[in-house]
Amino acid sequence: MKRTLSFLLALIIALSAFSMAAFAADAPKSKTEALFDKLYTATELQVTFTPDKKLVGNLPITTLTLYAKGKDLAIDTKLKFFPVRLVKTGDACYAYSPLLPFAYLSIDSKVIDGIIGDKDIWEYVHKTVDSARLLLAYVKSYDEKIGDETYLVEEFNDREHVTTKFYYKGDMLKRVSVYNESDKTTQVFAIDNYSFTVAPRIFKAPFGIDLTKLLKLFGVIKGLPIA
C-alpha cells in the first residue's frame, strides 16, 4: 500500500514536469507551456495514464487514473483484473473496489501525510513547477509517426543529458518520453485522457462494512496502519 501511495506522489511530480521549459519572452506559447500554465492554476485534475514498466516494478498495475480536487486525492487502478480505488478526503482514507462499494478498508491518513509532508498537494506541485522551470529548454517541434498515429512532438532538453518529448494529438497530450543519454534509458508515459474537472462522487466515502479490523484479526492483511 505504501508503495502505491509513493507512486501517487511520483505521478504528481511527473505531471509537474510539464513545466520544465524555459521560453524566450517573445516566442509563441507552445502546447506544453499552455498545458503547464493550466496545470499551475488548476484546483482540480483527472488524468488516466499508463506508467512505464520500469517505474511500477513488480506491481500488477497497468493503467491508473489520478484525481485531485482541492485537498482531496484518489487513485483508480486494477490489480490484475480487479478494480481498486484509494481515496483520501479530509482526515479519512479508504481503499475499496468500485465493484464492491459495500465493503472497504480504513487506512490511517498519516500514511499519505508521511509521504507528501504537511504541504497542500497543490502547493507541492507549484513549488516543484517553479524549481523545475529552469531545467529544460525548448529545442524544436516536428511530426513523428508511431504505428498508425502521427503526433506533433515538442522536444526539450536539460542542456546536458536528458531529452524530453511531449506528443500531441490536436491539443491533447498523449505521450511523454524521457531519454537519458548518460545511461541510454528511456521512460515512456502513455496518457489516455485528462481534464481539469473532477466529479465530487469520486471522493465520497464508501458505504457498508469496514473490514479492516476483521481481516487483520484473521491475518488476511498484515502491517496495514488502520484508522
Side-chain angles (χ1 to χ4, degrees), residues 110-168:
K110 293 179 180 178
V111 174
I112 294 181
D113 293 340
I115 296 172
I116 65 175
D118 57 359
K119 291 185 177 65
D120 175 89
I121 192 64
W122 298 106
E123 179 186 348
Y124 185 88
V125 171
H126 296 165
K127 185 175 181 179
T128 304
V129 166
D130 289 337
S131 299
R133 207 178 277 275
L134 299 177
L135 294 182
L136 295 186
Y138 174 81
V139 177
K140 57 185 176 180
S141 299
Y142 50 89
D143 289 338
E144 182 175 327
K145 190 171 184 179
I146 300 178
D148 295 330
E149 296 288 346
T150 300
Y151 301 91
L152 171 66
V153 179
E154 294 184 349
E155 182 177 318
F156 305 84
N157 66 41
D158 67 347
R159 304 175 184 86
E160 291 187 1
H161 307 294
V162 179
T163 297
T164 304
K165 297 180 181 181
F166 300 89
Y167 293 75
Y168 291 88

Side-chain angles (χ1 to χ4, degrees), residues 50-69:
T50 302
D52 191 285
K53 289 294 184 181
K54 292 186 288 292
L55 183 59
V56 298
N58 294 324
L59 287 175
I61 290 175
T62 53
T63 301
L64 297 101
T65 301
L66 166 74
Y67 309 90
K69 184 181 180 76

Side-chain angles (χ1 to χ4, degrees), residues 4-20 36 39 42-47 49 55 64-70 72-75 112 115-116 119-129 132 189:
T4 301
L5 297 176
S6 298
F7 186 78
L8 172 60
L9 179 59
L11 176 58
I12 290 292
I13 295 172
L15 287 171
S16 69
F18 291 166
S19 64
M20 297 196 305
F36 205 34
L39 176 65
T43 57
E44 301 181 30
L45 176 66
Q46 175 178 325
V47 56
F49 76 109
L55 183 59
L64 297 101
T65 301
L66 166 74
Y67 309 90
K69 184 181 180 76
D72 293 338
L73 297 171
I75 187 167
I112 294 181
I115 296 172
I116 65 175
K119 291 185 177 65
D120 175 89
I121 192 64
W122 298 106
E123 179 186 348
Y124 185 88
V125 171
H126 296 165
K127 185 175 181 179
T128 304
V129 166
F189 295 82

Side-chain angles (χ1 to χ4, degrees), residues 44-46 67 69 85 195 197-204:
E44 301 181 30
L45 176 66
Q46 175 178 325
Y67 309 90
K69 184 181 180 76
R85 175 172 292 168
S195 69
T197 58
V198 182
R201 60 178 175 77
I202 296 294
F203 306 101
K204 284 187 177 180

